[in-house]
Amino acid sequence: MALLYRAEIQPTKLELIDSWLPTRSWYQGPAEPGVRRVAACRFDDPDGEVGVETILVQAGDGPVLHVPLTYRGAPLAGGEPWLVGTTEHSVLGRRWVYDATGDPVYLQALATAILTGGGEADEFVDVDGRQEKRAPAMSLHGSGAPGTAVPAVGAIEQTADGDPTRITTATAQLVVHRVLGSAGSGGFTLTGAWDGGSPTTLAEATLR
């Protein structure tokens, strides 16, 4: 499950994304994006330490862009190339926000969802000490089967930040598509696939 808080966040996630997007080679849009959120949902961190969010945004009438983020209470060792920025959370304090394709917690969650046929985390909002469940704004679905063994993804060995972004670790190869096309009325679903061979070789994780 993902536990969320009603909190003030400065700067906001969208403000951080606005500053970061124009630095990406795959970004398509105006120099000052002014992004709006299209949809979002969460993965679960089994240790409960890292926030993992898949966000879809759009700048003007440009294509929908896939921006997965992780939120940490301390800097990620070696994570400087993927740092989007820092923000002040009125409940959790300072948070370090990363492009999730450089965060091992996100990569493990993505691999697990793909191989086991998993999906998004249940979301609960803390309201005066009570946990109220809310429906996520999009769905995540892997193509694998429950009970499939999931290897430890491990440290990143190589990454190519483009569309798609390609990440290689000692045990996995993941592909994350960034530019998704136009926003439709039917919503978005994350679909994952692997090559049918060894489950330690992962193929595409694509938002459709």
Side-chain angles (χ1 to χ4, degrees):
M1 59 171 279
L3 179 60
L4 312 176
Y5 297 90
R6 291 183 174 175
E8 294 292 328
I9 301 175
Q10 295 294 333
T12 68
K13 289 178 282 188
L14 290 183
E15 287 171 340
L16 287 179
I17 292 171
D18 256 352
S19 299
W20 177 78
L21 271 180
T23 70
R24 304 296 95 192
S25 63
W26 45 267
Y27 171 63
Q28 301 178 24
E32 297 182 3
V35 296
R36 67 177 184 88
R37 193 184 93 150
V38 175
C41 63
R42 298 270 180 155
F43 274 131
D44 179 43
D45 171 21
D47 294 330
E49 294 294 329
V50 180
V52 185
E53 186 171 20
T54 286
I55 304 178
L56 306 184
V57 300
Q58 188 174 26
D61 59 358
V64 174
L65 303 174
H66 176 205
V67 183
L69 298 176
T70 56
Y71 312 114
R72 289 176 167 267
L76 170 64
E80 291 82 2
W82 296 278
L83 182 66
V84 176
T86 59
T87 191
E88 295 294 332
H89 190 288
S90 62
V91 175
L92 300 176
R94 176 161 293 185
R95 306 290 281 171
W96 281 257
V97 181
Y98 292 92
D99 170 9
T101 62
D103 193 317
V105 170
Y106 168 75
L107 299 179
Q108 191 68 53
L110 184 60
T112 300
I114 292 172
L115 291 173
T116 66
E120 72 277 6
D122 290 333
E123 295 183 8
F124 291 85
V125 180
D126 183 274
V127 180
D128 298 326
R130 304 187 317 275
Q131 295 181 9
E132 297 183 359
K133 189 173 183 179
R134 75 174 189 183
M138 59 180 288
S139 296
L140 310 176
H141 295 290
S143 63
T148 301
V150 181
V153 170
I156 295 171
E157 294 184 347
Q158 184 177 5
T159 185
D161 183 26
D163 179 39
T165 296
R166 301 179 183 276
I167 308 104
T168 302
T169 76
T171 62
Q173 297 174 0
L174 297 105
V175 178
V176 176
H177 290 258
R178 298 294 201 164
V179 182
L180 307 182
S182 60
S185 59
F188 291 85
T189 299
L190 176 88
T191 59
W194 56 296
D195 66 0
S198 166
T200 60
T201 301
L202 303 180
E204 295 187 355
T206 309
L207 283 161
R208 300 292 188 192

